């Protein structure tokens, strides 16, 4: 069977920003290559926060892998998810597409690259299939795709021009109408959307995407080194909690620290909370809130800073519980999968993909999102119910492997290409057509946004 060529496009590279989307994109790219069913290239987009622009080309190398590279796309409009530097990006990306000639172009995000790249791929490679993974709600929500209100950080149940205007007083409702039309126009050329959770799929169907175009394919991680459970003495509590992931307001770290403060009032010094993760690109106001919250639980909670994915087993060796206290509609947090792989039960907010991934009182515990008192009550159960931890550990099911995940993606790619195999080869363009292709204008490359 023919080996497929797959071009993976992501909004960063985990060596520079170890977010869940970036990690999964790289894992999938490498696994498809290792399994032998596909070859190709992974391109991570970066801006001045990660790399300086270099003269001569938008492309840069990263690491020792020749099939992984960076693309500098620093002129990006976050509101319209639009690439502004069309004169710089279009020729370079066109050359990349015509050189690699991928069968599949898999967008793992449209951040940094811009939705116009979807139209460019369709024009340059009309027979290639376009796959777009929906890892969050950026297309729906202008507030960094979080679907959380800008003022009091309440979960937003449905976007609308009026609701979005309340979050962004400086923009009229008409701006959000134009934003939605702009994004949906470009989304029209996508052959298949992928969602790692049923919850996120329902959100995008409610937003207006056809259910037939969105397929649920859950993420996975490579088989890790497994850390043995911590040995405790008879009568000793499973009292070590941990948080993993980047720190930002919507990840709920402030909720966890307040819960730790409340729990420490009931059980002074009876537990520990270890916080693993950096706080990149966060505001000074949030950092001040974080430092204040940490000072209130000094001696109980400790922030260890950023970590690498390869360090997970070592970090989990001395902990019992993993807490995911997010206050936004998380899609499919990799940390839950990583915790279950290490056979550690999870305490999670009862919302979004977290509630879909954690079964209450089966393999973990859930609590009311954003409610520090409810989280303190849940953590207290972990301290005072000695049989609870063992019961939950026994409820953790075998995890889905990355090999299975890659095989499912490969099968999807092939299914999209099957109808194309029956079509005759396209006719070669005549001299006049070829001349127009070489002399393309900005408008013939990537479509500018309608705003």
């Amino acid at each position: 069977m023919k080996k497929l060529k797959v071009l993976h496009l992501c909004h960063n590279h985990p060596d520079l920003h170890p977010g869940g989307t970036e990690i999964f994109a790289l894992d999938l790219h490498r696994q498809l290559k290792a399994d032998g069913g596909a070859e190709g290239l992974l391109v991570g987009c970066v801006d001045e926060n990660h790399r300086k622009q270099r003269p001569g080309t938008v492309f840069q190398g990263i690491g020792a892998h020749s099939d992984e590279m960076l693309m500098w796309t620093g002129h990006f409009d976050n509101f319209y998810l639009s690439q502004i530097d069309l004169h710089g990006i279009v020729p370079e990306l066109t050359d990349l597409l015509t050189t690699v000639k991928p069968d599949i172009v898999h967008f793992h995000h449209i951040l940094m690259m811009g939705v116009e790249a979807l139209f460019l791929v369709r024009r340059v490679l009309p027979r290639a299939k376009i796959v777009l993974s929906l890892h969050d709600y950026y297309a729906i929500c202008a507030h960094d795709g979080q679907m959380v209100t800008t003022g009091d950080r309440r979960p937003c149940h449905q976007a609308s021009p009026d609701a979005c205007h309340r979050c962004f007083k400086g923009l009229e409702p008409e701006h959000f109408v134009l934003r939605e039309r702009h994004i949906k126009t470009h989304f029209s050329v996508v052959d298949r959307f992928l969602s790692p959770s049923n919850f996120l799929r329902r959100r995008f169907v409610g937003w207006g995407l056809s259910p037939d175009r969105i397929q649920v394919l859950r993420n996975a991680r490579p088989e890790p080194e497994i850390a043995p459970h911590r040995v405790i003495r008879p009568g000793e509590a499973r009292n070590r909690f941990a948080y993993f992931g980047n720190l930002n307001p919507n990840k709920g770290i402030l909720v966890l620290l307040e819960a730790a403060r409340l729990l420490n009032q009931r059980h002074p010094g009876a537990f520990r909370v270890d916080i693993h993760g950096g706080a990149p690109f966060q505001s000074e106001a949030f950092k001040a809130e974080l430092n204040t919250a940490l000072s209130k639980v000094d001696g109980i909670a400790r922030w260890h800073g950023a970590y690498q994915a390869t360090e997970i087993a070592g970090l989990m060796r001395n902990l019992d519980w993993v807490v995911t206290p997010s206050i936004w509609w998380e899609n499919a947090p990799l940390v839950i999968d990583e915790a279950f792989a290490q056979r550690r039960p999870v305490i999670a907010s009862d919302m979004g993909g977290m509630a879909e991934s954690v079964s209450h009182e089966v393999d973990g515990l859930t609590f009311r999102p954003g409610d520090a008192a409810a989280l303190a009550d849940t953590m207290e159960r972990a301290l005072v119910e000695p049989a609870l931890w063992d019961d939950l550990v026994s409820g953790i099911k075998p995890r889905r492997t990355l090999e299975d995940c890659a095989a499912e993606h490969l099968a999807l790619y092939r299914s999209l290409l099957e109808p194309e195999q029956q079509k005759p080869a396209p006719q070669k363009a005549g001299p006049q057509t070829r001349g127009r292709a070489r002399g393309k204008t900005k408008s013939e490359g990537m479509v500018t946004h309608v705003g």
Side-chain angles (χ1 to χ4, degrees), residues 317-364:
R317 189 173 299 275
N318 292 313
L319 65 88
D320 305 308
W321 306 84
V322 172
V323 185
T324 56
S326 293
I327 62 173
W328 75 289
W329 312 96
E330 290 267 15
N331 172 27
L334 286 179
V335 65
I336 293 178
D337 192 48
E338 291 168 334
F340 285 159
Q342 298 291 336
R343 300 192 61 73
R344 266 64 175 183
V346 176
I347 299 174
S349 299
D350 188 16
M351 67 185 301
M354 294 175 291
E356 191 173 315
S357 300
V358 179
S359 298
H360 183 59
E361 297 191 338
V362 175
D363 51 21

Side-chain angles (χ1 to χ4, degrees), residues 42 47 49 60 144 190 214 223 256 267 281 305 356 388-389 408 420 432:
L42 180 137
D47 61 15
N49 291 308
Q60 303 176 17
D144 294 329
V190 174
I214 311 177
E223 288 298 317
L256 174 56
H267 303 276
F281 318 125
E356 191 173 315
L388 180 60
W389 186 87
E408 291 172 4
E420 292 296 319
Q432 185 178 4

Side-chain angles (χ1 to χ4, degrees), residues 220-239:
R221 292 300 325 278
E223 288 298 317
E225 173 193 354
I226 305 299
H229 289 148
R230 186 171 66 90
V231 177
I232 62 174
R233 296 185 295 271
E236 186 178 354
R238 291 287 182 181
N239 62 353

